[in-house]
Amino acid sequence: MTRAHHRITRPCWVVLLWTLAACGQGEQVEETPTADPWFREEGSARGLVFEHRSGHGEAFYFPELMGGGAALFDMDGDGDLDAFCVQSGELDAPEAVTGHRLFANRGDGHFDDVTAASGISTRGYGMGVTSGDYDGDGDTDLYVTQVGPNALLQNLGDGRFTEVTSAAGVGDDGWGTSACFFDKDGDGDLDLFVANYVNWSVDGELTCFGPTGQPDYCGPTSYSATRSDVLYENRGDGTFVDVSESSGIQATFGNGLGVVAGDFNGDDRPDLFVANDQTPDQLWINQGEGRFVDRAELAGCARDRNGTSRAGMGVDSADLDANGTLDLLVVHMAREHDGLFFNKGRFFTERTVEVGLGLATLQRTRFGVGFMDFNNDALLDAYVANGRVNLQMAPLVEGDPYAEPNTLLRGLPEGRFEDPLHRGGCEQPLHATSRGAAFGDVNGDGGVDVLVVNRDGPAHLFMNCAPARGHWLAVRAVDEQGRDVLGAFVTWTDAAGRVQRREVKSGFSYCSASAARAHFGLGQEQAGSLSVRWPGGTTESFAVDGVDRVILVKRGDGES
């Protein structure tokens, strides 16, 4: 395809980064760590062989920089986590079949590529994926976001999937990035939110340059073309209706990259937080009766403490300080502090630097992110997938100027963090342009593993080998029909009185979906009590007969 005449532009954020680089604030030399590794990369060894393709050639098409995503989910109901990797493809050939890959877990954390038998075959340029049982048949379905029409893949329950996008009415044709299923109205049917990034087209692409005059990718502000996000309401019959306008979701626009659903104000209705790139983040508070209002500015989580909009990429939420409210972590690009916002009930307080997330992440550009207790010591850790978006600093490895090592942050008491290894938790740092990150225990040993998709490189499966891991408990919360209840809050109180809370969710991080289970690291404790607060406000207690295993709790079977 012949490209149209392009305007040459140097966005202001590039000029700022050039200035910082000139002042000697480039990449720092890695110090030599001494701790034992927490992860080993075993993707190929375990049969999860996937090579992402951005389609990059001579042209610098902006979407090439941003894919792709991954999902860890149980596609066949056997209790093991299967994997799905999103392929991007060729922007000059938007009708080409996209090479997404589906991997079935053998039960021991080894995988078989079952794509051909699954029937998965969509067209378009893939970006991300989210998972959820949208049709209520007990099987987890997949929704794939793309540059152009997105795709809904219905799980037929026998290892096969069929695309039902048009029939379901969810084929938004924007530049979809992260998405999440959630039950906005408490009717038991999963609704769908899709974040859109930039109003972009091949013919309207711009031309930008790096600090020494070499061609490079433009940033989102170069286009001045935000696109509204999309909210679909589930009708309960396998179809959706677009309620973006009537719900209020279109009241404010942003360059959406990350999204997470959760009850952020404690009213037993799920809300939405959207991480936006170079525009204010959004906190959509659920008003009931199908309406949402953006309270991010009033709540203090739309910008940094100086009132500046940052490059919001991935996002996750968790109750870090055990006060019963969901806190937020939004990750950003190099030389921007992450945004760690502690939820005080009616407003948020940013404490990024105070808890140790300042210098630990400042040198990287961060995308996929997740709060997990990787060493099972009853303290949440954080994992961040990194990869640059411009040519501002000297390459770390030959052949990929955007590659960086990922980051592991160990959780400390009082909600603090430290970087224990300085190499992403691995024995040797792995440099890649990492994007989506999905989390789950793929081999059933009680350690949460990480699946990372890397731009124009092989996917990495980081198997948890953290030393001296503690005891653990994983909880799958289902409704009366056996469907996962996204939005359920699971609380574990151990014999020493320590309280941990986990929300059941799949859509968070960046362009990815994770296991819909509540994972608890227990340390040395093996006794405690378990309760679940279901959407709508009902709370039940459940007996726990032993730890170091996955348990199933069903709504209505507990004690009120």
Side-chain angles (χ1 to χ4, degrees):
M1 181 179 297
T2 301
R3 298 181 67 188
H5 177 72
H6 306 313
R7 176 170 60 91
I8 297 175
T9 176
R10 291 181 175 89
C12 60
W13 62 270
V14 171
V15 176
L16 173 61
L17 289 177
W18 292 357
T19 303
L20 290 171
C23 293
Q25 298 186 34
E27 183 75 19
Q28 300 296 311
V29 176
E30 297 274 353
E31 62 182 274
T32 302
T34 58
D36 293 327
W38 286 31
F39 299 104
R40 293 191 183 95
E41 200 292 300
E42 300 180 3
S44 296
R46 290 180 173 268
L48 204 157
V49 180
F50 174 77
E51 186 91 12
H52 177 266
R53 300 190 312 273
S54 72
H56 175 63
E58 294 183 2
F60 282 76
Y61 293 140
F62 191 18
E64 296 170 351
L65 193 60
M66 308 303 291
L72 287 174
F73 73 114
D74 185 357
M75 71 168 177
D76 45 16
D78 63 357
D80 304 314
L81 295 180
D82 308 296
F84 180 83
C85 294
V86 177
Q87 186 60 275
S88 293
E90 300 287 341
L91 284 161
D92 281 330
E95 295 304 315
V97 175
T98 301
H100 309 312
R101 310 306 295 177
L102 179 67
F103 299 89
N105 194 328
R106 299 176 190 168
D108 59 357
H110 290 77
F111 295 85
D112 294 313
D113 189 332
V114 296
T115 309
S118 73
I120 291 177
S121 178
T122 64
R123 298 181 184 274
Y125 189 89
M127 290 296 299
V129 61
T130 195
S131 62
D133 181 9
Y134 85 93
D135 54 0
D137 64 355
D139 300 312
T140 301
D141 311 296
L142 298 173
Y143 185 79
V144 181
T145 59
Q146 304 190 138
V147 179
N150 301 324
L152 178 61
L153 303 177
Q154 183 185 33
N155 189 338
L156 301 179
D158 57 358
R160 295 183 300 120
F161 290 76
T162 184
E163 185 180 343
V164 294
T165 312
S166 297
V170 290
D172 180 65
D173 63 354
W175 177 353
T177 52
S178 294
C180 71
F181 284 107
F182 74 119
D183 186 1
K184 70 179 179 63
D185 44 19
D187 63 357
D189 301 314
L190 291 181
D191 309 297
L192 175 64
F193 180 88
V194 184
N196 278 319
Y197 191 31
V198 173
N199 193 10
W200 180 92
S201 68
V202 169
D203 291 338
E205 182 58 286
L206 308 175
T207 301
C208 292
F209 297 91
T212 62
Q214 70 273 47
D216 199 3
Y217 292 100
C218 298
T221 56
S222 300
Y223 301 87
S224 300
T226 58
R227 184 176 178 118
S228 62
D229 300 328
V230 182
L231 178 62
Y232 293 107
E233 181 178 298
N234 195 328
R235 291 189 174 117
D237 60 357
T239 67
F240 294 78
V241 59
D242 187 338
V243 295
S244 307
E245 184 174 359
S246 62
S247 66
I249 289 294
Q250 291 187 347
T252 58
F253 287 21
N255 301 316
L257 286 181
V259 62
V260 63
D263 180 9
F264 293 103
N265 63 347
D267 64 356
D268 294 313
R269 291 192 292 255
D271 313 303
L272 294 162
F273 183 89
V274 183
N276 292 314
D277 190 359
Q278 302 292 326
T279 52
D281 296 332
Q282 297 155 317
L283 178 63
W284 293 108
I285 296 298
N286 192 334
Q287 307 293 297
E289 299 181 352
R291 295 285 300 173
F292 289 79
V293 175
D294 181 12
R295 298 296 190 197
E297 295 280 12
L298 291 176
C301 57
R303 312 167 190 259
D304 68 14
R305 62 181 67 186
N306 298 318
T308 302
S309 296
R310 292 175 287 198
M313 310 291 194
V315 62
D316 195 11
S317 61
D319 184 6
L320 294 176
D321 51 4
N323 70 343
T325 62
L326 287 175
D327 309 306
L328 284 164
L329 175 61
V330 188
V331 295
H332 303 106
M333 68 183 295
R335 302 186 181 93
E336 290 182 338
H337 290 299
D338 286 337
L340 182 60
F341 297 94
F342 281 86
N343 191 340
K344 302 303 180 184
R346 298 176 59 187
F347 60 90
F348 290 81
T349 300
E350 184 179 354
R351 296 186 58 226
T352 308
V353 176
E354 293 88 333
V355 301
L357 291 184
L359 293 177
T361 59
L362 197 58
Q363 296 173 1
R364 312 281 184 241
T365 293
R366 292 85 72 191
F367 279 85
V369 60
F371 284 120
M372 297 287 160
D373 187 353
F374 294 110
N375 61 347
N376 292 340
D377 65 350
L379 297 170
L380 283 173
D381 314 298
Y383 188 89
V384 189
N386 303 320
R388 298 174 184 173
V389 294
N390 51 58
L391 302 175
Q392 302 306 313
M393 296 182 288
L396 296 177
V397 293
E398 184 178 355
D400 188 354
Y402 303 98
E404 294 180 321
N406 295 337
T407 303
L408 169 68
L409 298 164
R410 177 167 56 197
L412 302 175
E414 300 179 359
R416 296 183 57 81
F417 294 88
E418 68 174 1
D419 186 350
L421 299 181
H422 310 289
R423 57 190 181 219
C426 293
E427 185 173 5
Q428 298 294 330
L430 285 173
H431 295 83
T433 306
S434 298
R435 293 298 183 248
F439 302 85
D441 179 6
V442 302
N443 61 346
D445 67 348
V448 177
D449 311 302
V450 188
L451 172 59
V452 177
V453 170
N454 302 303
R455 174 186 183 261
D456 286 332
H460 288 158
L461 180 61
F462 293 105
M463 299 302 296
N464 191 322
C465 60
R469 283 201 312 249
H471 295 288
W472 59 280
L473 185 71
V475 180
R476 184 183 172 207
V478 301
D479 64 11
E480 294 84 350
Q481 287 75 44
R483 302 173 297 185
D484 291 311
V485 180
L486 301 183
F489 272 93
V490 185
T491 300
W492 171 263
T493 305
D494 67 22
R498 291 182 300 181
V499 178
Q500 299 183 63
R501 296 180 179 87
R502 303 284 187 267
E503 180 195 12
V504 178
K505 61 183 187 292
S506 64
F508 61 97
S509 184
Y510 173 77
C511 286
S512 297
S514 297
R517 297 172 182 174
H519 179 94
F520 296 91
L522 309 181
Q524 300 307 308
E525 296 288 343
Q526 299 187 57
S529 60
L530 186 75
S531 65
V532 180
R533 187 173 181 85
W534 303 100
T538 301
T539 299
E540 292 181 298
S541 298
F542 293 87
V544 177
D545 184 19
V547 298
D548 297 330
R549 62 194 185 97
V550 180
I551 66 170
L552 180 74
V553 297
K554 181 179 290 188
R555 184 163 55 191
D557 285 355
E559 296 183 2
S560 301

